[in-house]
Amino acid sequence: ESSFDIVSKLDLQEVDNALNQTGKELSQRYDFKGVDASIENSGENIEIRANSEERALAVLDVFKEKLIKRQLSLKILDAGDPQASGKEFKILIKLKEGITQEQAKKIAKLIRDEGPKNVKTQVQGEELRVTGKSRDDLQQVQQYCNCLRYARQLQVSNFSSETK
């Protein structure tokens, strides 16, 4: 039997690089002079601050550009609406990682309905294991998963063959 896992993992180093590039661009761009715009990683969240709602949204747009240039999907972001906090506006961004049980079940159902009939799926925590006797069938499922437009960025990992 051969198998692979469908996962949703973040490359935190690339996210951090995009964050640093955004901060550098904010300090250099003319349209951000004097607006006290900033972006920083505050533990589990990324926090954007600016003195107006428009500038806070502009910082978010710059951050999204940097993520795209680093080939990260915008599906990893869960950005809230700008919130007034005293004289400034804040946007809290949560990073999404992992596949929920509900999402894994939906993906498994799609694979059962659309994929080869002799392929099995099994939810394992925040991953979905796909197994089958034929590597060709598994590669067909991988191609199908790459085509899925889903609420998370999906990757395929641990492709292996076991001979018994």
Side-chain angles (χ1 to χ4, degrees), residues 68-102:
I68 290 169
K69 283 184 181 177
R70 303 201 75 79
Q71 296 167 355
L72 293 169
S73 171
L74 296 183
K75 294 176 183 179
I76 65 172
L77 298 180
D78 184 13
D81 292 327
Q83 303 290 322
S85 175
K87 293 182 179 181
E88 66 183 7
F89 284 82
K90 287 185 193 177
I91 298 176
L92 278 181
I93 303 170
K94 293 181 182 164
L95 298 174
K96 297 188 282 188
E97 184 173 33
I99 302 172
T100 65
Q101 293 280 331
E102 182 180 311

Side-chain angles (χ1 to χ4, degrees), residues 21-85:
Q21 287 178 340
T22 302
K24 188 174 182 179
E25 186 166 325
L26 294 180
S27 68
Q28 294 174 347
R29 275 184 37 181
Y30 179 77
D31 56 333
F32 286 109
K33 297 278 188 227
V35 296
D36 297 327
S38 67
I39 184 168
E40 61 185 40
N41 192 347
S42 59
E44 294 183 13
N45 298 322
I46 294 173
E47 189 173 84
I48 293 174
R49 295 173 183 257
N51 64 1
S52 73
E53 184 175 349
E54 295 80 25
R55 290 290 91 196
L57 291 170
V59 172
L60 179 59
D61 287 342
V62 171
F63 182 53
K64 286 179 178 180
E65 284 176 24
K66 299 303 178 189
L67 288 172
I68 290 169
K69 283 184 181 177
R70 303 201 75 79
Q71 296 167 355
L72 293 169
S73 171
L74 296 183
K75 294 176 183 179
I76 65 172
L77 298 180
D78 184 13
D81 292 327
Q83 303 290 322
S85 175

